[in-house]
Amino acid sequence: MYALRPDYSILFVVFVNIVRNKRGITLYAKTIAVANQKGGVGKTTTALNLAAVLSAKRKKVLLVDSDPQGNASSGVGVFDTDGGANIYTCYTDEGQAKNCVQKTRLKNLSVLPSSIDLVGVEVELISQENREKKLKAVLRSLKEEFDFIIIDCPPSLGILTLNSLTAADSILIPLQCEYFALEGLAQLISTIRRVKKTLNRELYIEGLLLTMYDGRNKLTHSVAEEVKNHFGDQVYKTVIPRNVRLSESPSHGQTIIEYDKSSSGAKAYIKLGTEFLQRLKREM
Ligand code: ATP
Ligand code: MG
């Protein structure tokens, strides 16, 4: 006769999951919002190229295009004109999430594409309860299928960015190395604090990334120094150089590792992917 014994292996798995969850390393997708309300600082370039690099490192990645401009979607070769379901569909019907995800050319990279209709979400959600928690609900059903979900936010602190910050575990902030880089950062930090207080207690800063770095420019150096003095280790060691190949690749609907893997821009994003994963290991 067999004695009834508890299944310790299951208990162990449950325990490990609880510990991992506490440390932000879930067995579900880790969700990162790439956000900065300042326009043109490299959010989309970072979101889609980091997503591509992680997918090339055999991580299953979902790129969520939360900007009505749709640049992240077109940057991975998915266009609004392709028709089909998109993130706007999800905002109106959360149950549609799985039908809205599209595969890209890259094996491990999928995208939840944007639509110009997203412009209307701000107004349409105004009278709805829990309007900042819509995207969180949409992504909940997708989390088991991916290792990482990377959300490209629009250049505002409106409802779409609030939804992204509520759905995310962490925020990655790209900063362009120019005189006004820190302008608006205080407002972003206070928004993060507000979100932490009211909508997402666990949200934390994944890292600050210096973009469009020009080593020959003195101003770039002083901006980088100032950011590092303020934020210390939170600033990625990897900096993204100004590189024309990075600005060309989206018009071909390609990520930088497809368009020109040997360019300085590609090398920088590959390095960022490595640093990003190393930091996660250290957190463990
Ligand atoms: P928005 O606020 O409008 O969403 P964004 O913050 O997403 O903008 P991007 O679209 O990524 O910024 O970049 C702005 C422009 O700068 C784009 O034309 C992009 O191709 C270009 N760009 C981004 N990063 C670099 C870089 N490192 N070197 C050269 N050009 C770059
Ligand atoms: Mg953008």
Side-chain angles (χ1 to χ4, degrees):
M1 241 176 82
Y2 294 106
L4 271 179
R5 283 191 310 164
D7 187 342
Y8 288 115
S9 63
I10 289 177
L11 288 178
F12 179 71
V13 170
V14 170
F15 173 71
V16 169
N17 277 348
I18 290 169
V19 172
R20 285 181 160 195
N21 272 302
K22 279 240 175 277
R23 293 172 179 227
I25 305 148
T26 61
L27 288 186
Y28 303 111
K30 173 168 181 159
T31 305
I32 303 116
V34 181
N36 186 339
Q37 80 279 17
K38 209 162 149 44
V41 297
K43 292 181 288 294
T44 303
T45 307
T46 298
L48 71 90
N49 286 310
L50 178 61
V53 166
L54 293 175
S55 76
K57 289 177 184 286
R58 298 211 183 94
K59 306 292 179 196
K60 287 184 145 194
V61 186
L62 174 66
L63 176 65
V64 176
D65 192 346
S66 190
D67 184 347
Q69 295 179 94
N71 295 339
S73 315
S74 58
V76 294
V78 174
F79 297 86
D80 193 17
T81 46
D82 293 346
N86 54 52
I87 192 168
Y88 177 76
T89 323
C90 296
Y91 267 103
T92 51
D93 180 0
E94 288 152 21
Q96 288 290 319
K98 285 191 179 171
N99 301 331
C100 300
V101 171
Q102 293 190 31
K103 292 215 178 298
T104 70
R105 281 183 311 267
L106 295 171
K107 192 173 159 220
N108 297 316
L109 180 62
S110 299
V111 63
L112 181 50
S114 173
S115 156
I116 192 66
D117 295 335
L118 213 48
V119 173
V121 160
E122 194 98 23
V123 176
E124 285 163 31
L125 290 185
I126 228 156
S127 58
Q128 288 197 24
E129 251 180 71
N130 286 332
R131 58 181 178 273
E132 297 94 351
K133 295 185 177 166
K134 289 267 165 193
L135 187 60
K136 188 183 171 102
V138 170
L139 297 185
R140 194 171 292 135
S141 62
L142 300 172
K143 281 204 151 203
E144 281 171 37
E145 292 172 35
F146 297 95
D147 297 311
F148 295 103
I149 297 178
I150 298 184
I151 311 172
D152 182 33
C153 296
S156 81
L157 292 173
I159 197 77
L160 292 170
T161 297
L162 286 180
N163 264 277
S164 304
L165 294 181
T166 303
D169 297 305
S170 64
I171 170 170
L172 193 160
I173 307 171
L175 286 173
Q176 189 179 346
C177 291
E178 48 146 68
Y179 186 64
F180 296 112
L182 295 173
E183 186 197 66
L185 195 52
Q187 201 189 351
L188 179 58
I189 300 290
S190 89
T191 301
I192 294 170
R193 287 208 186 105
R194 195 156 51 89
V195 169
K196 272 173 79 85
K197 261 192 201 152
T198 53
L199 296 163
N200 182 3
R201 218 156 45 91
E202 309 285 332
L203 181 71
Y204 65 94
I205 296 179
E206 185 72 42
L208 290 96
L209 177 68
L210 298 170
T211 62
M212 304 187 213
Y213 193 93
D214 178 359
R216 293 163 306 179
N217 186 332
K218 270 191 182 166
L219 186 62
T220 295
H221 285 288
S222 57
V223 170
E225 275 312 302
E226 201 176 335
V227 173
K228 282 176 192 160
N229 287 341
H230 261 83
F231 292 95
D233 281 352
Q234 285 184 308
V235 185
Y236 285 106
K237 290 197 170 59
T238 307
V239 294
I240 308 300
R242 191 171 276 285
N243 174 230
V244 70
R245 307 300 268 169
L246 280 170
S247 56
E248 288 168 0
S249 58
S251 59
H252 297 265
Q254 290 182 346
T255 65
I256 194 65
I257 55 171
E258 296 165 284
Y259 183 64
D260 186 354
K261 207 173 176 178
S262 62
S263 64
S264 62
K267 285 178 183 159
Y269 275 109
I270 291 169
K271 205 168 153 206
L272 176 68
T274 307
E275 186 180 358
F276 174 89
L277 292 176
Q278 274 169 355
R279 278 194 186 196
L280 288 191
K281 264 195 205 153
R282 246 181 278 144
E283 281 172 21
M284 286 173 88

